[in-house]
Amino acid sequence: MASGGGNNRNGTHRNSLKGTTTTSTASTDKPLSVNSNPSKPAFKNKSSPLTGASSGLRKSSPGSLGGGAAKDDAGVPGRVRVAVRLRPRNAEESVADADFADCVELQPELKRLKLRKNNWDTDTYEFDEVLTEFASQKRVYEVVAKPVVEGVLDGYNGTIMAYGQTGTGKTYTLGRLGEEDTANRGIMVRAMEDILAEVSPEIDSVLVSYLQLYMESLQDLLDPTNDNISIVEEPKSGDVSLPGATLVEIRDQQSFLELLRLGEAHRHAANTKLNTESSRSHALLMVHVKRTVKGREPAHSSDNGNSTSMARSLRPPLVRKGKLVVVDLAGSERIDKSGSDGHTREEAKSINLSLSALGKCINALAENSAHVPVRDSKLTRLLRDSFGGTARTSLVITVGPSPRHRGETASTIMFGQRAMKVENMLKLKEEFDYKSLARRLDIQLDKLIMEHERKQKAFEVEIERITAEAQNRISEAERNYADAVEKERLKYQKDYMESIKKLEEKWMMNQQNQGNERKMVHIAEEVAEVKKLLSKETSLRKAAEEEVDNLKSQLAQLKMSEALANSEILKLQKMVEDEVCQKEKLEGEISMLQSQLLHLSFEADETRKRLDRGGPGKVPGGLDSPVSQVRSQLKDSGNGEKASVAKLFEQVGLQKILSLLEAEDADVRIHAVKVVANLAAEETNQQKIVEAGGLKSLLMLLGSSEDETIHRVAAGAIANLAMNEKNQELVMSQGGISLLSTTASHAKDPQTLRMVAGAIANLCGNDKLQTKLRGEGGIKALLEIVKCGHPDVLAQVARGIANFAKCESRASTQGSKTGRSLLIEDGALPWIVQNANSDASPIRRHTELALCHLAQHEVNAKDMISEGALWELVRISQDCPREDIRTLAHRTLASSPDFIAGLKRLRIDY
Ligand code: ADP
Ligand code: MG
């Protein structure tokens, strides 16, 4: 046993091989290497002085089965490397075993596995590698398979086997294609990747067979018809070959993956046909690698130093042949020999045969037995050249965590231990502090490895993509550059042509200029002549200009004298205009003075009147019409008054006074209208005023002026003029009603309203104008005016209504009017009834009269009763101070059937 092998871990031993001159066939011809170490390397005690050396060997020296004997002539220690891999709990176990601890516990940092015997006792085993449930596929490959694959590439045979109970992950470890996740690729796929990366396709070859061994019959998974392949053993070399098996040359990974897929499909089909499960059969992948060693002489060539170069060139190249066998073993669980699971006893024996033969061989080797029964089964025969010698063998034993399969797990572990040729069952009680930390770190490391691998793959793809893209861009840039260069070249060519053309033109021009110089001398002479003529002309023109200046000054003198005369004329014209102006001004002043005189004499009259009446504020009793007021004022004033107005007439003239109604000056207009109003109060003047157009002017003034005084005085004058029938018609025909009602609607002073109401009241007393007056809104205007509430105003309204009612009554009696009273139609009745018992006697008297007139006609009776006029009539017939009215009311009540009925209904005793 080489103690120096202690450092030869995994990849490092390969280097040591390279230095040798061993050929592939130089391996041992012993069938399976015999363990030359007579002592059993089993250790019951950790403290044994041999333990360290032993475990050092176990952990670090991969190689053929046989431990100490394995140090062959190539100096490679040979022993089966055994790794244990724990499958994570699957979904079913997570549920079913939720309350139980796993039956195994791994201590990867110590490369130990603890198998729980019961609640308080565990057995501890050491392995070359302990792979936890978190171990990545990459790590498993590197630990278990990579050294073997490297050996194969160097020309050694190698075997990788997976042993374990069905469902513990043998196929997962070996056969995963990793299509769904590249990180899941199994050992077969990764091994081929490494092989293909190393070989040169032109000179090397990789040939693959894929087989299944079931009930001692060897079937070709690449050609299902080929189902009984025989094994041929070379007696001399001990090499094993299968001449009947299909060999497929592999050039790239893709075709290998397809081959595996095809084999898997055939395996499935074959098992269906045989009515068995793949767990009952062994799957074997054989990879034959043949490599030409570059730059190396065959071993014997160096023996002879005189060999010529020709001889060298004739020498065959040095080739290395290696064979890799990957075996996915049948499930290690025992088959029921009773036949209860559907197999006959013979079948069961046959199914188990290869696996148990393998076990026996391993046992024999482990126990250094003289006889190793390799010939007992096809499997051991097949693997014969894979054990011992320069061959390397790795075994993965797969276990599950479930305590329910503790028995199977234990037997798997024992198989692994025997393969390591170790029987020890170290019971280690002590724990290490760093244990859990190391475990965690390990798990993390595996995760990182997995992640790294995924990223690496993605990175490679990305690099490829970027490279392709960059290539595209470069070629595009090159194209663009070429285009640009071409364009630039064309442009310069064009510019060059143009400048050539320009130079030619210039040259032509120069040629022409030389001819022109001669002409120039001739022209200069002509110019001198022309200059002479020009100076002559200039002096002539100067003389003419002087003449013109002379004439101009004469003209200016003439113009000046003319201007003087003109200004004289203008002065005279101005004087004339001033005179005219002065005259007009004087005339204006005269009329102003006249109007002032008029006003003063009017005011003097007023004052005089007031003095005559015995002081201001005294209202003549019993008079309610402004007309009669004015008239009485005039009458009261006596003859002196008349004389003053007559004097005014004489002095100024009616026409002049009326014209002042339209004067520009507002004061003048006010004075004038007051004078006119005063004159209109006198009956003798009324006709003259109307004839001179005074009524028209007054009505116009109502419409045009905005001054309330003017409105008030003019309305008073109109009221006075509207005393006789003819004037009333005139007022109506000139739109008097609308002018008066507009005036009323703008009025603020109750006296204005009194004048307006007085004027309308006068019109109401005209029989002929009833319909027109009502049609133009006369009644409505009166009813608007009452809103003012002033008793003087209300008295005028009441007078108007009484006048209207009287005329209507007369017309009804004469038969010229039929139907309801227009007063009732226009809604005057409520106001009449309301005011029939007014405290102000003028109001009361007129409304009482109006009620009596309305009551005369049966058509009005119903409305009157409903408006409450019946009570008023009864009251009038009893209380009215005027006897004639009392009698009228009484007679009416007594004669009207409607009233009689009404009285009865209201239980008025009458
Ligand atoms: P065997 O070949 O030993 O009968 P399989 O390789 O078919 O077992 O594995 C059985 C199941 O367990 C499969 O579904 C597989 O995907 C799963 N499995 C096995 N080993 C692992 C593992 N290390 N990680 C995750 N799943 C695993
Ligand atoms: Mg399987």
Side-chain angles (χ1 to χ4, degrees):
M1 204 189 288
S3 59
N7 292 326
N8 282 343
R9 290 205 64 176
N10 306 349
T12 57
H13 75 272
R14 190 180 167 197
N15 295 336
S16 69
L17 273 175
K18 272 192 175 160
T20 72
T21 54
T22 320
T23 63
S24 63
T25 50
S27 62
T28 177
D29 55 359
K30 295 168 208 146
L32 280 168
S33 71
V34 176
N35 194 339
S36 61
N37 187 352
S39 67
K40 277 190 188 175
F43 308 101
K44 290 272 178 195
N45 194 329
K46 191 185 168 225
S47 60
S48 156
L50 290 172
T51 311
S54 166
S55 56
L57 175 72
R58 274 208 312 276
K59 283 177 196 169
S60 58
S61 19
S64 64
L65 196 66
K71 191 179 185 294
D72 59 17
D73 47 5
V76 179
R79 184 177 65 72
V80 174
R81 277 182 62 78
V82 182
V84 60
R85 186 181 197 186
L86 174 65
R87 171 175 60 67
R89 279 190 179 200
N90 58 30
E92 186 245 317
E93 286 162 347
S94 299
V95 177
D97 302 336
D99 296 334
F100 302 96
D102 289 350
C103 72
V104 290
E105 187 192 320
L106 303 184
Q107 294 178 319
E109 68 283 0
L110 299 174
K111 302 195 188 296
R112 279 178 189 161
L113 176 146
K114 283 179 165 188
L115 178 68
R116 198 182 294 279
K117 275 207 312 206
N118 47 47
N119 275 345
W120 58 90
D121 207 3
T122 55
D123 288 334
T124 303
Y125 304 95
E126 286 192 15
F127 287 95
D128 290 313
E129 285 298 338
V130 168
L131 300 160
T132 69
E133 65 267 46
F134 304 107
S136 62
Q137 292 278 78
K138 183 175 162 71
R139 164 122 160 209
V140 171
Y141 173 74
E142 273 166 5
V143 165
V144 174
K146 202 172 172 97
V148 181
V149 172
E150 282 168 349
V152 170
L153 283 166
D154 283 340
Y156 300 98
N157 286 352
T159 305
I160 301 161
M161 289 186 291
Y163 179 95
Q165 190 188 349
T166 299
T168 50
K170 296 184 295 296
T171 308
Y172 182 90
T173 301
L174 299 179
R176 270 305 265 263
L177 300 186
E179 287 159 312
E180 71 300 340
D181 181 355
T182 48
N184 283 344
R185 275 133 60 231
I187 283 173
M188 288 179 181
V189 176
R190 288 172 194 266
M192 186 55 75
E193 274 172 7
D194 277 1
I195 291 168
L196 288 175
E198 284 295 311
V199 300
S200 323
E202 315 84 47
I203 45 173
D204 301 339
S205 76
V206 180
L207 298 166
V208 171
S209 312
Y210 198 17
L211 308 142
Q212 172 175 257
L213 181 63
Y214 178 63
M215 282 178 71
E216 291 308 285
S217 112
L218 202 51
Q219 300 154 5
D220 192 343
L221 285 178
L222 302 178
D223 177 9
T225 54
N226 205 357
D227 60 359
N228 199 4
I229 296 167
S230 51
I231 303 167
V232 176
E233 289 150 82
E234 196 69 44
K236 265 193 197 164
S237 63
D239 284 354
V240 182
S241 62
L242 303 170
T246 310
L247 268 177
V248 175
E249 173 148 27
I250 299 296
R251 294 197 166 272
D252 55 57
Q253 190 64 14
Q254 207 48 45
S255 56
F256 179 64
L257 290 175
E258 262 151 39
L259 181 142
L260 287 183
R261 261 182 235 123
L262 178 77
E264 202 44 51
H266 285 158
R267 191 178 183 200
H268 183 77
N271 291 331
T272 312
K273 203 167 125 197
L274 294 168
N275 195 20
T276 181
E277 300 160 38
S278 59
S279 65
R280 299 291 181 223
S281 66
H282 313 277
L284 295 106
L285 178 79
M286 294 184 157
V287 185
H288 304 268
V289 182
K290 193 170 89 185
R291 290 180 79 197
T292 306
V293 184
K294 286 169 233 158
R296 286 275 309 272
E297 298 285 310
H300 59 263
S301 66
S302 58
D303 295 343
N304 190 347
N306 337 324
S307 59
T308 62
S309 62
M310 193 172 122
R312 252 202 307 278
S313 70
L314 287 172
R315 252 172 239 142
L318 179 64
V319 253
R320 282 182 183 168
K321 285 185 191 167
K323 182 172 74 173
L324 173 70
V325 186
V326 183
V327 192
D328 186 354
L329 290 166
S332 64
E333 63 277 4
R334 252 182 268 137
I335 296 169
D336 190 353
K337 288 179 187 152
S338 66
S340 63
D341 60 354
H343 295 283
T344 63
R345 199 180 159 78
E346 276 315 302
E347 274 174 345
K349 223 169 105 186
S350 181
I351 287 169
N352 284 335
L353 186 69
S354 278
L355 203 57
S356 53
L358 180 67
K360 277 180 200 151
C361 284
I362 283 173
N363 280 345
L365 286 164
E367 286 159 13
N368 292 322
S369 161
H371 174 66
V372 182
V374 277
R375 303 204 59 83
D376 279 7
S377 77
K378 284 202 171 158
L379 180 66
T380 45
R381 280 172 63 200
L382 257 174
L383 294 178
R384 180 196 171 114
D385 61 354
S386 298
F387 286 155
T390 54
R392 295 178 192 165
T393 300
S394 267
L395 173 69
V396 196
I397 59 162
T398 56
V399 294
S402 172
R404 282 176 288 150
H405 300 299
R406 200 195 155 279
E408 290 295 347
T409 303
S411 93
T412 301
I413 289 167
M414 290 320 294
F415 182 89
Q417 286 288 297
R418 275 195 296 279
M420 285 182 81
K421 204 180 161 300
V422 176
E423 299 170 348
N424 65 331
M425 278 160 252
L426 287 177
K427 286 181 190 154
L428 290 170
K429 296 291 178 210
E430 73 272 41
E431 298 291 1
F432 294 90
D433 292 351
Y434 56 84
K435 180 179 80 175
S436 57
L437 174 68
R439 189 178 160 86
R440 266 209 310 280
L441 289 174
D442 225 22
I443 291 166
Q444 217 162 342
L445 178 68
D446 272 306
K447 275 189 190 152
L448 288 174
I449 287 172
M450 243 152 86
E451 190 54 30
H452 171 73
E453 197 187 11
R454 254 184 233 122
K455 280 191 183 153
Q456 180 102 16
K457 257 269 162 2
F459 179 68
E460 278 166 18
V461 171
E462 185 64 15
I463 290 278
E464 253 170 51
R465 194 186 61 74
I466 290 170
T467 313
E469 201 172 296
Q471 205 57 48
N472 281 347
R473 289 212 186 143
I474 287 170
S475 51
E476 197 184 315
E478 277 172 359
R479 263 203 310 281
N480 289 348
Y481 175 72
D483 284 357
V485 165
E486 180 61 20
K487 258 188 214 156
E488 204 68 357
R489 196 181 65 78
L490 286 173
K491 195 174 151 251
Y492 282 127
Q493 202 167 26
K494 208 173 135 200
D495 287 355
Y496 174 74
M497 294 305 285
E498 268 169 16
S499 29
I500 292 279
K501 215 166 143 191
K502 268 185 199 153
L503 282 172
E504 275 175 4
E505 274 167 12
K506 260 191 196 161
W507 184 79
M508 295 280 280
M509 288 256 285
N510 281 342
Q511 293 292 85
Q512 269 179 8
N513 284 349
Q514 280 173 9
N516 287 346
E517 266 167 26
R518 261 168 266 133
K519 279 183 198 162
M520 287 298 280
V521 178
H522 186 65
I523 287 171
E525 285 162 8
E526 277 179 8
V527 166
E529 220 160 284
V530 170
K531 268 186 185 165
K532 249 186 235 165
L533 279 172
L534 187 69
S535 66
K536 217 186 209 170
E537 285 292 311
T538 312
S539 57
L540 279 175
R541 209 189 77 192
K542 261 188 189 155
E545 273 174 2
E546 271 162 24
E547 189 69 39
V548 167
D549 283 348
N550 210 359
L551 287 172
K552 266 186 187 166
S553 68
Q554 279 179 23
L555 185 70
Q557 268 172 8
L558 282 173
K559 269 192 180 162
M560 237 155 68
S561 49
E562 193 197 320
L564 276 173
N566 276 348
S567 73
E568 201 70 14
I569 291 166
L570 278 173
K571 245 187 226 162
L572 287 170
Q573 272 178 351
K574 188 113 183 21
M575 272 160 74
V576 170
E577 272 168 22
D578 283 352
E579 283 301 308
V580 171
C581 244
Q582 200 67 19
K583 196 183 138 207
E584 274 172 6
K585 224 180 185 174
L586 287 171
E587 275 176 356
E589 269 169 28
I590 289 167
S591 69
M592 187 71 171
L593 287 170
Q594 278 177 346
S595 86
Q596 277 173 7
L597 174 71
L598 207 60
H599 181 58
L600 284 172
S601 59
F602 171 72
E603 274 180 357
D605 284 349
E606 296 266 286
T607 319
R608 201 176 315 124
K609 269 185 254 169
R610 271 200 294 278
L611 289 170
D612 289 350
R613 263 182 269 134
K618 192 182 167 207
V619 179
L623 293 177
D624 49 7
S625 149
V627 180
S628 50
Q629 262 179 44
V630 174
R631 196 189 294 153
S632 75
Q633 282 167 11
L634 289 170
K635 269 183 189 161
D636 290 352
S637 61
N639 287 338
E641 188 86 18
K642 266 186 200 165
S644 79
V645 174
K647 207 167 115 194
L648 216 84
F649 260 137
E650 278 164 31
Q651 280 174 354
V652 184
L654 181 62
Q655 209 60 47
K656 186 75 191 171
I657 295 169
L658 290 178
S659 77
L660 290 173
L661 287 177
E662 285 154 37
E664 295 225 337
D665 192 306
D667 285 338
V668 175
R669 279 204 307 272
I670 291 175
H671 295 316
V673 79
K674 280 182 179 170
V675 170
V676 173
N678 248 310
L679 289 171
E682 195 61 42
E683 238 177 69
T684 50
N685 295 333
Q686 284 174 354
Q687 200 52 34
K688 282 184 203 160
I689 290 170
V690 172
E691 275 166 12
L695 179 56
K696 207 174 172 186
S697 297
L698 288 166
L699 284 166
M700 253 167 65
L701 213 51
L702 277 190
S704 63
S705 174
E706 282 175 4
D707 188 292
E708 178 140 17
T709 311
I710 289 178
H711 285 171
R712 174 164 44 80
V713 179
I718 292 165
N720 276 343
L721 293 176
M723 296 282 283
N724 71 56
E725 261 185 42
K726 215 175 139 203
N727 288 352
Q728 286 161 358
E729 280 162 25
L730 266 175
V731 171
M732 289 296 289
S733 70
Q734 284 172 19
I737 289 294
S738 95
L739 286 167
L740 286 165
S741 48
T742 309
T743 306
S745 70
H746 294 129
K748 290 192 181 81
D749 182 355
Q751 290 311 316
T752 311
L753 290 171
R754 186 166 76 100
M755 297 304 168
V756 171
I760 298 175
N762 283 353
L763 298 173
C764 284
N766 187 323
D767 290 308
K768 291 183 210 159
L769 298 175
Q770 293 271 288
T771 323
K772 191 163 195 258
L773 183 121
R774 185 257 180 165
E776 287 181 11
I779 298 167
K780 289 259 162 74
L782 286 176
L783 292 172
E784 271 300 303
I785 291 170
V786 300
K787 286 178 185 162
C788 139
H790 194 285
D792 288 353
V793 179
L794 299 189
Q796 289 305 325
V797 173
R799 184 169 70 85
I801 285 174
N803 276 350
F804 198 94
K806 186 176 77 193
C807 292
E808 241 188 4
S809 172
R810 207 152 46 208
S812 294
T813 313
Q814 288 165 3
S816 59
K817 179 183 185 318
T818 52
R820 263 192 338 168
S821 161
L822 297 176
L823 286 169
I824 295 176
E825 297 277 342
D826 275 5
L829 192 52
W831 186 82
I832 301 169
V833 173
Q834 210 178 318
N835 288 274
N837 198 14
S838 170
D839 289 338
S841 68
I843 303 172
R844 191 174 66 237
R845 190 155 44 83
H846 288 307
T847 45
E848 281 175 348
L849 206 56
L851 275 181
C852 287
H853 285 309
L854 289 172
Q856 296 300 302
H857 302 283
E858 198 70 20
V859 278
N860 299 331
K862 280 211 175 71
D863 290 294
M864 293 185 75
I865 293 167
S866 68
E867 289 293 341
L870 198 49
W871 294 101
E872 291 306 322
L873 283 169
V874 170
R875 185 190 55 73
I876 293 165
S877 72
Q878 288 165 354
D879 298 345
C880 184
R882 275 176 62 172
E883 201 199 331
D884 56 336
I885 296 178
R886 261 204 325 270
T887 317
L888 185 62
H890 184 74
R891 223 181 30 235
T892 309
L893 285 174
S895 62
S896 158
D898 275 333
F899 285 137
I900 294 166
L903 287 168
K904 251 192 205 156
R905 197 169 53 250
L906 295 170
R907 296 174 204 273
I908 299 170
D909 221 2
Y910 195 73

